[in-house]
Coordinates of all heavy atoms in Angstrom, one line a residue:
V2 N 2.4 19.4 -20.9 CA 2.4 18.0 -20.8 C 1.2 17.5 -20.0 O 0.9 18.0 -18.9 CB 3.7 17.5 -20.0 CG1 3.7 16.0 -19.9 CG2 4.9 18.0 -20.8
Y3 N 0.5 16.5 -20.6 CA -0.6 15.9 -19.9 C -0.1 14.7 -19.1 O 0.3 13.7 -19.6 CB -1.6 15.4 -21.0 CG -2.8 14.7 -20.3 CD1 -3.4 15.0 -19.1 CD2 -3.6 13.8 -21.1 CE1 -4.5 14.4 -18.5 CE2 -4.7 13.1 -20.6 CZ -5.1 13.5 -19.3 OH -6.2 12.9 -18.8
E4 N 0.1 15.0 -17.8 CA 0.8 14.1 -16.9 C -0.1 13.0 -16.4 O -1.1 13.3 -15.7 CB 1.5 14.8 -15.8 CG 2.6 15.8 -16.2 CD 3.3 16.4 -15.1 OE1 3.3 15.8 -14.0 OE2 3.9 17.5 -15.3
N5 N 0.2 11.8 -16.6 CA -0.5 10.7 -16.0 C 0.6 9.7 -15.4 O 0.9 8.6 -16.0 CB -1.4 9.9 -17.1 CG -2.5 10.8 -17.5 OD1 -3.4 11.0 -16.8 ND2 -2.4 11.3 -18.7
P6 N 1.1 10.0 -14.2 CA 2.2 9.2 -13.7 C 1.7 7.8 -13.3 O 0.5 7.6 -13.0 CB 2.7 10.0 -12.5 CG 1.6 10.9 -12.1 CD 0.8 11.2 -13.4
P7 N 2.5 6.8 -13.3 CA 2.1 5.4 -13.1 C 1.4 5.2 -11.8 O 0.4 4.5 -11.7 CB 3.5 4.6 -13.1 CG 4.3 5.4 -14.1 CD 4.0 6.8 -13.8
D8 N 1.8 5.9 -10.7 CA 1.2 5.7 -9.4 C -0.2 6.2 -9.4 O -1.1 5.6 -8.8 CB 2.0 6.3 -8.2 CG 2.2 7.8 -8.4 OD1 2.1 8.3 -9.5 OD2 2.6 8.4 -7.4
L9 N -0.5 7.4 -10.1 CA -1.8 7.8 -10.2 C -2.7 7.0 -11.0 O -3.9 6.7 -10.7 CB -1.8 9.3 -10.8 CG -3.1 9.9 -10.9 CD1 -3.9 10.1 -9.6 CD2 -3.0 11.3 -11.5
V10 N -2.2 6.5 -12.2 CA -2.9 5.6 -13.0 C -3.4 4.3 -12.3 O -4.5 3.9 -12.3 CB -2.1 5.2 -14.3 CG1 -2.8 4.2 -15.1 CG2 -1.8 6.4 -15.2
E11 N -2.4 3.8 -11.6 CA -2.8 2.6 -10.7 C -3.8 2.9 -9.7 O -4.7 2.0 -9.5 CB -1.5 2.0 -10.1 CG -0.5 1.5 -11.1 CD -1.0 0.2 -11.8 OE1 -1.8 -0.5 -11.3 OE2 -0.4 0.0 -13.0
W12 N -3.7 4.0 -9.0 CA -4.8 4.4 -8.0 C -6.1 4.6 -8.7 O -7.1 4.1 -8.1 CB -4.3 5.7 -7.3 CG -5.3 6.0 -6.2 CD1 -5.4 5.5 -5.0 CD2 -6.3 7.0 -6.3 NE1 -6.4 6.1 -4.3 CE2 -7.0 7.0 -5.1 CE3 -6.8 7.8 -7.4 CZ2 -8.1 7.8 -4.9 CZ3 -7.9 8.7 -7.2 CH2 -8.6 8.6 -5.9
L13 N -6.2 5.3 -9.7 CA -7.5 5.5 -10.4 C -8.1 4.2 -10.8 O -9.2 3.9 -10.7 CB -7.2 6.4 -11.6 CG -7.0 7.9 -11.3 CD1 -6.6 8.6 -12.6 CD2 -8.2 8.6 -10.8
A14 N -7.3 3.3 -11.4 CA -7.8 2.0 -11.9 C -8.2 1.2 -10.6 O -9.3 0.5 -10.7 CB -6.7 1.2 -12.6
S15 N -7.5 1.3 -9.5 CA -7.9 0.6 -8.3 C -9.3 1.1 -7.8 O -10.2 0.3 -7.4 CB -6.9 0.7 -7.2 OG -7.3 0.2 -6.0
E16 N -9.5 2.4 -7.8 CA -10.7 3.0 -7.4 C -11.9 2.5 -8.3 O -13.0 2.3 -7.9 CB -10.6 4.5 -7.4 CG -9.8 5.1 -6.3 CD -10.4 5.0 -4.9 OE1 -11.4 5.8 -4.6 OE2 -10.0 4.0 -4.2
M17 N -11.6 2.4 -9.6 CA -12.6 2.1 -10.6 C -13.0 0.6 -10.3 O -14.2 0.3 -10.3 CB -12.2 2.2 -12.0 CG -12.0 3.7 -12.4 SD -11.5 3.9 -14.1 CE -11.0 5.6 -14.1
K18 N -12.1 -0.3 -10.0 CA -12.4 -1.6 -9.6 C -13.2 -1.7 -8.3 O -14.2 -2.4 -8.2 CB -11.1 -2.4 -9.4 CG -10.4 -2.9 -10.7 CD -9.3 -3.8 -10.4 CE -9.7 -5.2 -9.8 NZ -8.6 -6.1 -9.6
T19 N -12.9 -0.9 -7.3 CA -13.5 -0.9 -6.1 C -15.0 -0.5 -6.2 O -15.8 -1.2 -5.5 CB -12.8 0.2 -5.1 OG1 -11.5 -0.3 -4.8 CG2 -13.6 0.3 -3.8
Y20 N -15.3 0.4 -7.0 CA -16.6 0.9 -7.2 C -17.4 0.4 -8.4 O -18.5 0.9 -8.7 CB -16.7 2.5 -7.2 CG -16.2 3.0 -5.9 CD1 -14.9 3.6 -5.8 CD2 -17.0 3.0 -4.7 CE1 -14.4 4.1 -4.5 CE2 -16.5 3.4 -3.5 CZ -15.2 4.0 -3.3 OH -14.8 4.5 -2.2
G21 N -16.8 -0.6 -9.1 CA -17.5 -1.2 -10.2 C -17.7 -0.3 -11.4 O -18.7 -0.4 -12.1
V22 N -16.7 0.5 -11.7 CA -16.7 1.4 -12.8 C -15.9 0.9 -13.9 O -14.7 0.5 -13.7 CB -16.2 2.8 -12.3 CG1 -16.2 3.8 -13.5 CG2 -16.9 3.3 -11.1
K23 N -16.4 0.8 -15.1 CA -15.6 0.3 -16.2 C -14.8 1.5 -16.8 O -15.4 2.5 -17.2 CB -16.5 -0.3 -17.3 CG -15.7 -0.9 -18.5 CD -16.6 -1.6 -19.5 CE -15.8 -2.1 -20.6 NZ -15.0 -3.3 -20.2
P24 N -13.5 1.3 -16.9 CA -12.7 2.4 -17.5 C -12.8 2.4 -19.0 O -12.9 1.4 -19.7 CB -11.3 2.1 -17.1 CG -11.3 0.6 -16.7 CD -12.7 0.3 -16.4
E25 N -12.8 3.6 -19.6 CA -12.5 3.7 -21.0 C -11.1 4.2 -21.2 O -10.8 5.3 -20.7 CB -13.5 4.8 -21.7 CG -13.2 4.9 -23.1 CD -14.2 6.0 -23.8 OE1 -13.9 7.2 -23.7 OE2 -15.1 5.6 -24.3
I26 N -10.2 3.4 -21.9 CA -8.9 3.7 -22.0 C -8.7 4.8 -23.0 O -9.0 4.6 -24.2 CB -8.0 2.5 -22.3 CG1 -8.3 1.3 -21.3 CG2 -6.5 2.9 -22.4 CD1 -7.9 1.7 -19.9
E27 N -8.1 6.0 -22.7 CA -7.9 7.1 -23.6 C -6.6 6.9 -24.2 O -5.5 7.2 -23.5 CB -8.1 8.4 -22.8 CG -9.4 8.6 -22.1 CD -10.7 8.6 -22.9 OE1 -10.5 8.9 -24.2 OE2 -11.7 8.2 -22.4
A28 N -6.5 6.4 -25.4 CA -5.2 6.1 -26.0 C -4.7 7.3 -26.8 O -5.3 7.6 -28.0 CB -5.3 4.9 -26.8
F29 N -3.8 8.1 -26.3 CA -3.2 9.2 -27.1 C -1.9 8.8 -27.8 O -1.3 9.6 -28.5 CB -2.9 10.4 -26.1 CG -4.1 11.1 -25.5 CD1 -4.6 10.5 -24.3 CD2 -4.7 12.1 -26.1 CE1 -5.7 11.1 -23.8 CE2 -5.7 12.8 -25.5 CZ -6.3 12.3 -24.3
D30 N -1.5 7.5 -27.6 CA -0.2 7.0 -28.1 C -0.3 5.5 -28.2 O -1.1 4.9 -27.4 CB 0.9 7.4 -27.1 CG 2.3 7.0 -27.6 OD1 2.8 7.8 -28.4 OD2 2.7 5.9 -27.3
L31 N 0.4 4.9 -29.1 CA 0.4 3.5 -29.3 C 0.7 2.7 -28.0 O 0.1 1.7 -27.6 CB 1.3 3.0 -30.4 CG 1.4 1.5 -30.7 CD1 0.0 1.0 -31.2 CD2 2.4 1.3 -31.8
S32 N 1.7 3.3 -27.2 CA 2.1 2.7 -25.9 C 1.0 2.6 -25.0 O 1.0 1.6 -24.1 CB 3.3 3.5 -25.3 OG 2.9 4.8 -25.0
H33 N 0.0 3.4 -25.1 CA -1.1 3.4 -24.1 C -2.0 2.2 -24.3 O -2.5 1.6 -23.4 CB -2.0 4.6 -24.2 CG -1.2 5.9 -24.0 ND1 -1.7 7.2 -24.2 CD2 0.0 6.1 -23.4 CE1 -0.8 8.2 -23.8 NE2 0.2 7.5 -23.4
I34 N -2.1 1.7 -25.5 CA -2.8 0.4 -25.8 C -2.0 -0.7 -25.1 O -2.6 -1.7 -24.5 CB -3.1 0.3 -27.3 CG1 -3.8 1.5 -27.9 CG2 -3.9 -1.1 -27.5 CD1 -3.9 1.4 -29.4
Y35 N -0.7 -0.7 -25.3 CA 0.1 -1.8 -24.7 C 0.1 -1.7 -23.2 O 0.1 -2.7 -22.5 CB 1.5 -1.8 -25.2 CG 1.7 -2.4 -26.6 CD1 1.5 -1.6 -27.7 CD2 1.9 -3.8 -26.7 CE1 1.6 -2.2 -29.0 CE2 2.0 -4.3 -28.0 CZ 1.9 -3.5 -29.1 OH 2.0 -4.1 -30.4
Q36 N 0.0 -0.5 -22.7 CA -0.1 -0.4 -21.2 C -1.4 -0.9 -20.7 O -1.5 -1.6 -19.6 CB 0.1 1.1 -20.8 CG -0.1 1.4 -19.3 CD 1.0 0.7 -18.5 OE1 2.0 0.1 -19.0 NE2 0.9 0.8 -17.2
A37 N -2.5 -0.7 -21.4 CA -3.8 -1.2 -21.0 C -3.8 -2.8 -21.0 O -4.3 -3.4 -20.1 CB -4.9 -0.7 -21.9
K38 N -3.1 -3.4 -22.0 CA -2.9 -4.8 -22.1 C -2.2 -5.3 -20.8 O -2.6 -6.3 -20.1 CB -2.2 -5.2 -23.4 CG -1.8 -6.7 -23.4 CD -3.0 -7.6 -23.4 CE -2.6 -9.1 -23.6 NZ -3.7 -10.0 -23.4
A39 N -1.1 -4.6 -20.5 CA -0.3 -5.1 -19.3 C -1.1 -4.9 -18.0 O -1.0 -5.8 -17.2 CB 1.0 -4.2 -19.2

């Protein structure tokens, strides 16, 4: 299982904001696109 728990995802996104890094959303599932929107 490729684990990406919500708390880790939020922390990584926060670090990217802090350092001005643009994320590339890796969508392995349709739900991941909707999560990026949320």
Side-chain angles (χ1 to χ4, degrees):
V2 176
Y3 180 27
E4 295 186 25
N5 292 288
D8 58 343
L9 177 60
V10 173
E11 294 293 335
W12 180 82
L13 288 169
S15 176
E16 288 289 282
M17 291 181 195
K18 283 186 68 175
T19 296
Y20 295 106
V22 180
K23 184 177 181 68
E25 178 182 84
I26 306 301
E27 308 296 335
F29 294 88
D30 183 87
L31 182 61
S32 65
H33 298 170
I34 303 177
Y35 280 91
Q36 178 64 8
K38 171 62 172 172

